[in-house]
Amino acid sequence: MRKGILTIAAVGLLATGGLTACSDDSGGDKAASAKTPKIGVILPDSKSSVRWETADRRFLEEAFKAAGVQYDIQNAQNDKTAFQTIADQMITGGVTALMIVNLDSGTGKAVLDKAKSQGVATIDYDRLTLGGSAQYYVSFDNETVGKLQGEGLAKCLTEKGAKNPVVAYLNGSPTDNNATLFKAGYDSVLKPKFDAKEYVKGPEDAVPAWDNAQAATIFEQQLTKANGKIDGVLAANDGLGNAAISILKKNKLNGKVPVTGQDASVEGLQNILVGDQCMTVYKAVREEAKAASDLAIALAKGEKKDTGQTVKDPEGGRDVPSVLLTPKAIYKETVKDVIADGYVTKEQVCSGTYAKLCADAGIS
């Protein structure tokens, strides 16, 4: 684990390597142990965030190959029918553990319940399926992600000397429980400022399916509705942030209006270096993938592990054994930390016109 970049949150779990095996007498685990271990992974799409294909797939493949287990990683491309078809094919194809990033809780629950009925062990990866039956949930502390975004926007507005700034929200998909948690986090920072009349609450919209093209249209409408008077944008990830920036550029407001993000994408980091984006939130996907793959490999072999912490499913009322990792706020001076951590490369971020900006930011 890279010092200073990531720690695992809370209750008794010091490192993913410290997950301890425990006995279990469930029929599903016995059935899994009698089969050849094979892991299925369903990723959600490749448009809402580049991370799913550039980071999650890569790090999960590395972990499965290192463990010498069979695996099948597919992407549903935001198609609920395809998501269910892929799950059916994986279950029929003999996976002994299934890891999903749901498109919505309804579809996710149906897949998890079917897997359970077939004796296939399950993990919710990155997004909790509300009312679902996954045996584990592996993600980041998503309220903390939102809190970092709210704190980041407040920091950047202060640095710009903004007085009674109008703040617009571009929230994530309404079907993604993480988007709800992010909003709870940034509301915890910004709502007190709205209530105290320090900030003015501007337009707020959720972006269906995290669609960046729709986000640009939505933000253009927000800017029109506000008569061009938006002083800060709480965008829930880098893709939505870049959509807002594209409209700010059209109106010659880029660099003047702080915009947040999340995912530490190459595009997001470049936007930060050039001054168009205020900050992003770095989630070390390598560590998330490692924690999830450790659990998946154990489940695929018919074993269980004790994570030492749980998350309450607000819909199902279940305490789900969980691993939650700690995110980190990234500003211009810490872009180099994301590169040093191996999440993106210097060559990706510092190409062309960004070379001097990288040098100025201490990226060598």
Side-chain angles (χ1 to χ4, degrees):
M1 186 175 294
R2 286 159 294 282
K3 185 178 180 182
I5 293 291
L6 182 74
T7 56
I8 295 183
V11 194
L13 187 60
L14 298 179
T16 52
L19 297 170
T20 55
C22 61
S23 62
D24 186 270
D25 295 325
S26 69
D29 288 338
K30 287 182 178 179
S33 64
K35 299 177 182 178
T36 301
K38 183 178 179 181
I39 300 165
V41 179
I42 309 178
L43 300 174
D45 63 79
S46 56
K47 290 185 177 180
S48 66
S49 175
V50 296
R51 63 164 282 193
W52 301 117
E53 289 295 332
T54 63
D56 295 86
R57 180 186 289 272
R58 171 166 56 113
F59 295 135
L60 288 168
E61 284 182 344
E62 286 177 4
F64 295 146
K65 286 178 181 177
V69 297
Q70 294 182 41
Y71 65 92
D72 181 11
I73 302 175
Q74 296 191 47
N75 195 311
Q77 298 299 354
N78 198 38
D79 184 323
K80 295 176 187 178
T81 300
F83 191 97
Q84 292 179 307
T85 299
I86 291 168
D88 288 343
Q89 291 172 344
M90 287 181 171
I91 293 168
T92 303
V95 297
T96 52
L98 178 65
M99 184 189 308
I100 70 166
V101 187
N102 71 59
L103 296 179
D104 61 50
S105 286
T107 307
K109 183 180 186 307
V111 165
L112 292 171
D113 288 349
K114 182 167 186 178
K116 182 179 180 180
S117 73
Q118 299 297 312
V120 176
T122 53
I123 295 173
D124 270 331
Y125 182 65
D126 199 72
R127 297 173 183 167
L128 181 66
T129 300
L130 301 182
S133 56
Q135 289 164 261
Y136 294 102
Y137 167 52
V138 180
S139 190
F140 288 82
D141 185 332
N142 291 307
E143 282 201 33
T144 297
V145 171
K147 185 178 179 183
L148 292 174
Q149 291 174 317
E151 291 172 345
L153 186 60
K155 175 178 182 288
C156 294
L157 286 168
T158 297
E159 288 174 352
K160 288 190 175 295
K163 303 296 183 184
N164 300 115
V166 176
V167 175
Y169 279 14
L170 279 176
N171 301 323
S173 174
T175 61
D176 181 354
N177 185 57
N178 280 0
T180 301
L181 297 173
F182 301 147
K183 177 171 161 51
Y186 47 76
D187 271 345
S188 73
V189 176
L190 298 177
K191 189 175 184 301
K193 294 183 179 295
F194 298 140
D195 292 344
K197 311 298 183 186
E198 294 178 38
Y199 292 1
V200 176
K201 181 68 179 290
E204 174 177 5
D205 292 282
V207 180
W210 296 90
D211 186 277
N212 297 333
Q214 286 192 61
T217 300
I218 289 168
F219 182 70
E220 191 158 34
Q221 292 168 347
Q222 288 185 341
L223 194 62
T224 300
K225 180 180 178 181
N227 296 315
K229 175 59 176 171
I230 289 178
D231 303 298
V233 183
L234 196 303
N237 75 357
D238 287 348
L240 304 188
N242 188 66
I245 289 167
S246 71
I247 302 305
L248 291 171
K249 284 180 177 177
K250 283 175 59 176
N251 290 274
K252 297 183 170 33
L253 293 171
N254 58 304
K256 299 175 183 178
V257 177
V259 179
T260 65
Q262 175 191 174
D263 290 334
S265 65
V266 169
E267 183 177 65
L269 295 174
Q270 289 176 334
N271 281 337
I272 290 171
L273 289 170
V274 81
D276 288 343
Q277 186 167 321
C278 157
M279 56 83 70
T280 189
V281 178
Y282 175 47
K283 302 183 298 188
V285 173
R286 185 193 301 273
E287 301 299 340
E288 184 183 21
K290 176 67 167 59
S293 61
D294 282 352
L295 291 171
I297 290 163
L299 287 176
K301 295 178 178 179
E303 303 168 359
K304 280 193 173 182
K305 295 195 173 191
D306 181 9
T307 62
Q309 79 186 115
T310 61
V311 165
K312 175 72 75 174
D313 174 354
E315 189 168 304
R318 191 168 60 101
D319 291 321
V320 186
S322 303
V323 178
L324 296 184
L325 307 174
T326 303
K328 178 179 179 179
I330 297 295
Y331 300 90
K332 185 177 292 188
E333 62 271 19
T334 50
V335 167
K336 60 180 181 291
D337 293 348
V338 182
I339 294 172
D341 209 39
Y343 184 68
V344 295
T345 67
K346 177 185 175 182
E347 289 70 26
Q348 288 174 307
V349 177
C350 302
S351 60
T353 58
Y354 296 98
K356 184 179 185 306
L357 295 170
C358 283
D360 293 342
I363 301 168
S364 56

